[in-house]
Amino acid sequence: MSMMDTMLNYLDQDLPEVYRSMSGRELDERIQKAKKALGDDLVILGHHYQRDDVIQYADYRGDSLQLAKTGAKQKNAKYIVFCGVHFMAETADTLAAPGQTVILPDLRAGCSMADMADIEEVEEAWDVLQETFQDTVIPVTYVNSTAAIKAFVGKHGGTTCTSSNAKQVLDWAFRQKKRVFFLPDQHLGRNTAYDQLGIPLEEMVVWNPKDGKFEEQRGPLDSVRMILWKGYCSVHQKFTPEQVHRIRKRDPEMKVIVHPECSFDVVQLADDSGSTSYIIKVIEEAPAGSRWAIGTEVNLVQRLAQEHPDKHIELLSTTMCPCLTMNRIDRPHLLWALESILEGNPIHVIKVDEETKHWSKVALDRMLTV
Ligand code: 13P
Ligand code: SF4
């Protein structure tokens, strides 16, 4: 176990003592044994940002869209253990069959971006938007949001999107209404609308929930088509235009590819942008000897570098950019979760209440059929 793991485990008051000091070898043996004992009753899903020592146990790995679809197909598994973050486990529970149990090995694995859209603030904003734009707005939320926000969107005729289907979802949304209220990531909304739908910045505005006002208004309100919630990802916010300039100055041959959760300026300067699975595909298809700086979570970038030794791959930033919350899921927590299932008393079960589940499923199902 690394020093960081030991520290995080020490800080986690709930993790039973027995798992805190277990050697890597014992953890591995017991995880394998638990997986074997649970057999087809268990499926482990892992997001691409998950650490290597955990993702090795995933039956399926993928980006948010792939995992939502894969989770929904696992009708025979009694237990879905989600090595991702809280909103992903909520989505899995929303799409799960009756009787299935979804488990997040460490409940501290939240998402700072999802936490930036509070349901009461969203409802207040919606009232202002109805007054300002009447019935011309449809809400769309990035799946990186709580089940309550997804339910809100479902109730108001809208849908969800991920970074790999944002363009198709926005195309659909603009066929329904003149304007889109996009939650909670302003960057994914702005980047997709500008780059893939050709909507100019003059037709976008940012909604600041803290002071209840529009910001970054560049044209008349009447011409606004995208209303962007003022949320962002604390990991992708760390990539800057200066980093792109510095890389290009050092190595003009280097290609820069970033996730669309990065800021508008970074995405505009980059050679390419896309979801985690898109970035993986581009790197897989790149010729040997090509050189890449990647602007996304560090675990994925390091894994790509290891898997493609014939290509030069580095993180766009010189400082590490881990998704600290997702990284809280480590082997001791995974083992604790698996053994709790075997003992007949599963821990950290994620259960969305029935009313919220109904409406967030409406939103997710709309996305899955777009
Ligand atoms: P994707 O999995 O859609 O690429 O999103 C990245 C992310 O931030 C997950 O939270
Ligand atoms: Fe949330 Fe950002 Fe982590 Fe994704 S990378 S889970 S958006 S904090």
Side-chain angles (χ1 to χ4, degrees), residues 213-268:
K213 285 195 182 117
F214 293 116
E215 284 179 2
E216 298 187 35
Q217 190 183 334
R218 295 176 171 85
L221 262 191
D222 189 44
S223 65
V224 164
R225 294 174 68 203
M226 283 295 281
I227 302 135
L228 306 163
W229 188 262
K230 198 175 180 178
Y232 60 87
C233 163
S234 43
V235 178
H236 290 88
Q237 186 94 339
K238 295 208 178 86
F239 298 104
T240 62
E242 292 69 39
Q243 293 164 356
V244 182
H245 292 310
R246 199 195 52 239
I247 289 266
R248 291 242 167 85
K249 200 166 163 206
R250 196 195 76 203
D251 185 347
E253 291 298 299
M254 190 86 100
K255 290 258 184 288
V256 177
I257 185 166
V258 300
H259 195 280
E261 286 175 16
C262 291
S263 72
F264 181 75
D265 293 344
V266 170
V267 172
Q268 290 308 303

Side-chain angles (χ1 to χ4, degrees), residues 255 282-292 308 310-312:
K255 290 258 184 288
V282 168
I283 298 297
E284 278 170 359
E285 291 171 359
S290 56
R291 303 173 63 74
W292 295 89
H308 300 276
D310 59 329
K311 299 159 201 177
H312 174 87

Side-chain angles (χ1 to χ4, degrees), residues 75-86:
K75 300 295 180 215
N76 295 328
K78 283 194 195 143
Y79 301 97
I80 299 176
V81 172
F82 215 117
C83 296
V85 287
H86 195 270

